[in-house]
Amino acid sequence: MFLRADFDVAVNSNGIIQEDFRILRQLPTIQHLLQAGARIVIGSHITGVSSFETILTQLEQCLGRKLVFCKSFDDVSAFLASNEPVALLENLRRNAGEEGNNEAFAGRIVEGCDYYVNNAFAVCHRTHASIALAPLVIPSFAGLLIEEEVTRLQHILTTPKEGKLIIMGGAKASTKVPVVQYLLDRSDHVAIGGILANDILKARGRDIGTSRVDDDAVGLASALNVYDPRLIVPTDFIEHEGAMLDMGPQSARAVADLCKNASLIVWNGPLGVFENPTYRHATAIIARAIAESPAMSIVGGGDTVASIRACGLELSAFDFISTGGGAMLAFLAGQRLAGLDVLGYRP
Ligand code: ADP
Ligand code: MG
C-alpha cells in the first residue's frame, strides 16, 4: 500500500518541528490501514528541510511508531521483503520528477504496492507526480483526511453568501489572487492582508515602498475589480524601512468588527510577518475575533495554524482546521484539484 501523506511541517534552525498538526492529522488513516492489515510505504514532501532524516525521530514520536526510512528505492525493496509495517520514502521533492509530474517517477514510487491512498489534501491542487499520476498506476482511493476535508469544505460552498466573511493573507499571492473575485461574488466581504494586500494595493496604484509583493500576482490583480466595495484592504500599516510588515491597528479592528456579525468565517494566511512578535498584532487581534465570534469558523494553511499557536490560541477554538491553505482556497473557488480529480471527485 502506498500512502501519499503530508508531513510538510515547519522546522526551526535547530531541526525541531514547530507544528505537528499536519502529522497528527495523518494518524487516523495510518491506524485504519494498519488495522486492516496493510503494510504501508509513505511518501511525502517537505520544504523546510531537505531530508526527512532530520526529523525522523520526531516523526516517529508523533506517530507513535517506528518508520523504516528509505533513502533510495533499493531500501524500499528491502522493506517490502521484511515484516516491518511502515516505511517512509525520502522527501519526494528531492527528485525533479515529483514537481515535473514525471510518469516514470510516479511509477517508481508505487512500485511493489498494490493500492494507492491519497491523504495529502494540502497538495491536491498541485500537478505533481505523487498526486496526479501515481494514482493512475494502481487502484487508488482517498484517505480519511481527504474525505473529511472535502465534506467540511463542501458545506461552505453550498451555504448562502449572506453572513459569509473571507479573510485572506499570507504569501503565494499568485495562487490566491485568482480566487479572490470568485469568493467576492459569493460572500459579504473578503478582507485582505499580508503580501496579498500589497499586491492589490500596488494594482490600485498605491506606493508600497519596499514591501514584498508576488510579482506574478500584480498582473493577476488587474483582472480583479480591486475597487469592489466588498473587498476590504488595510488602510494603516506597521512598517519597517519602507516595508509594510503588518496591518495597522485600525485595519485589524475593522476586520475584527466584521467577525462579530458574520455567520461563517473562512480564514487563510497570516495578516503580517507573525514569526516576529513585532508584526503579529493584526494576526492576533483577528484570530481572537474569529475564535470569539459566534460564526462557524473554518481556518486553513500551514503558516496560519502556526500563527494561531504563536498568538497563544488553541486550535480547538475554531470549528474546523483544514490542513490546506492554497488547496482549501482553490477548492472553495470551485476549481478542479488535480489530486481529487484523478480520484474521481468532481466539484
Ligand atoms: P499559509 O501557509 O497559512 O497558507 P502562506 O504560506 O501563504 O500562509 O503565508 C505565510 C507567510 O506570509 C508567513 O511566513 C508571513 O511571514 C508572510 N507574510 C505575511 N504578511 C507579510 C508581509 N506583509 N510581508 C512579508 N511577508 C508576509
Ligand atoms: Mg505557508
Side-chain angles (χ1 to χ4, degrees), residues 7 10 26-27 37 46 62 89 109 113 125 135-136 155 163 201 206 212 248 255 265 275 277 281 322 331 345:
F7 296 150
Q26 294 295 327
L27 262 178
I46 184 158
C62 277
L89 298 182
I109 59 176
C113 300
H125 59 320
L136 297 170
H155 172 75
L201 291 166
R206 188 188 191 281
R212 256 184 75 189
V255 178
I265 305 173
E275 294 90 341
H281 298 299
S322 171
F331 186 94
Y345 174 82

Side-chain angles (χ1 to χ4, degrees), residues 77-309:
S77 319
F79 163 76
L80 291 172
S82 75
N83 288 317
E84 293 291 339
V86 189
L88 173 67
L89 298 182
E90 177 57 290
N91 181 6
L92 294 175
R93 288 198 189 163
R94 275 173 77 130
N95 189 307
E98 170 64 358
E99 290 180 273
N101 201 28
N102 179 282
E103 237 172 87
F105 182 66
R108 200 71 217 269
I109 59 176
V110 297
E111 214 168 282
C113 300
D114 44 4
Y115 294 104
Y116 167 101
V117 172
N118 186 353
N119 213 35
F121 179 73
V123 267
C124 276
H125 59 320
R126 304 278 183 215
T127 317
H128 292 173
S130 67
I131 299 292
L133 286 179
L136 297 170
V137 182
I138 47 176
S140 52
F141 301 90
L144 299 175
L145 177 63
I146 297 250
E147 194 177 31
E148 190 185 349
E149 296 264 13
V150 166
T151 309
R152 292 304 293 253
L153 298 179
Q154 206 141 30
H155 172 75
I156 303 176
L157 280 175
T158 50
T159 39
K161 73 181 221 170
E162 287 73 28
K164 219 189 266 186
L165 168 65
I166 315 283
I167 302 172
M168 288 168 75
K172 292 179 225 150
S174 53
T175 56
K176 295 182 183 184
V177 168
V179 309
V180 173
Q181 188 67 55
Y182 184 94
L183 295 172
L184 262 179
D185 294 338
R186 287 161 185 80
S187 51
D188 278 347
H189 299 284
V190 178
I192 307 276
I195 296 173
L196 192 58
N198 298 346
D199 278 288
I200 289 176
L201 291 166
K202 191 171 174 181
R204 277 187 178 187
R206 188 188 191 281
D207 176 12
I208 55 162
T210 58
S211 303
R212 256 184 75 189
V213 285
D214 187 343
D215 282 324
D216 299 338
V218 176
L220 293 168
S222 58
L224 174 76
N225 177 11
V226 289
Y227 296 101
D228 190 311
R230 292 164 301 175
L231 186 64
I232 313 294
V233 292
T235 49
D236 60 329
F237 302 90
I238 310 290
E239 296 181 35
H240 178 69
E241 292 176 351
M244 308 189 294
L245 298 180
D246 197 8
M247 255 184 189
Q250 263 182 342
S251 307
R253 270 282 130 234
V255 178
D257 284 344
L258 288 175
C259 293
K260 287 183 190 149
N261 299 317
S263 54
L264 173 67
I265 305 173
V266 181
W267 172 35
N268 164 253
L271 289 319
V273 183
F274 75 95
E275 294 90 341
N276 181 336
T278 312
Y279 309 113
R280 194 182 288 163
H281 298 299
T283 304
I285 289 169
I286 292 169
R288 193 165 293 279
I290 298 171
E292 286 171 358
S293 157
M296 174 184 272
S297 50
I298 312 276
V299 179
D303 290 291
T304 308
V305 169
S307 76
I308 289 171
R309 298 248 211 226

